Amino acid sequence: MGLIGPALCASLLIALEPPSKPFLDKNSFLLSSAGFRVQVANDAAGKKALDALPPHRFVIHRNGGDVRYLYAEPQHCVCIFIGTQANYQDYRDIVGRSITQPDDVAPDYKTQASALLYGDPYDWDSLHQPDSMAEYLQTYY
């Protein structure tokens, strides 16, 4: 029990730190590899959607029978990754694999990825977002 407290505090502190550039580079690649589509926030509506989502966290967006997983990346690509539940599961499987890392990848990647995947994705409805945002995101499904 004595070791759980410090480990939990350390993982929470890591979760609060901004992700490193090597992590963001690799994470964007992994999201794309898992099938997430990239929607660049290069107009007013895109920037509004990007700002409405928590950065570096998965959000589940339900629209009728459609369920999409959204991941806002405001630093690296200024974009939103949009995928299905299968894409999300593929991403988790990729991150969970024990792959030998090349020398140029930050050693803290696995720790940062664990912090990113800590807990379940947010439910869009729990974020109390306006309906107009749902309409914007629906055009990218």
Side-chain angles (χ1 to χ4, degrees), residues 45-128:
K47 289 177 184 167
K48 182 178 176 185
L50 183 65
D51 291 341
L53 295 168
H56 308 118
R57 292 289 303 180
F58 284 98
V59 173
I60 299 172
H61 181 247
R62 291 177 181 84
N63 186 16
D66 288 333
V67 176
R68 294 294 185 259
Y69 284 70
L70 310 172
Y71 179 88
E73 178 45 75
Q75 296 171 346
H76 184 253
C77 65
V78 188
C79 64
I80 300 171
F81 288 89
I82 302 171
T84 63
Q85 184 174 5
N87 299 138
Y88 176 71
Q89 189 57 52
D90 288 346
Y91 171 79
R92 289 193 62 113
D93 291 345
I94 291 169
V95 170
R97 285 187 210 140
S98 165
I99 300 173
T100 306
Q101 299 294 325
D103 293 338
D104 62 346
V105 175
D108 61 347
Y109 176 77
K110 191 156 186 114
T111 303
Q112 289 184 7
S114 294
L116 169 72
L117 294 173
Y118 176 76
D120 292 327
Y122 292 115
D123 187 334
W124 177 263
D125 295 332
S126 70
L127 295 176
H128 307 291

Side-chain angles (χ1 to χ4, degrees), residues 1-15 111:
M1 179 89 169
L3 294 176
I4 294 174
L8 180 60
C9 289
S11 66
L12 291 175
L13 287 175
I14 290 168
T111 303

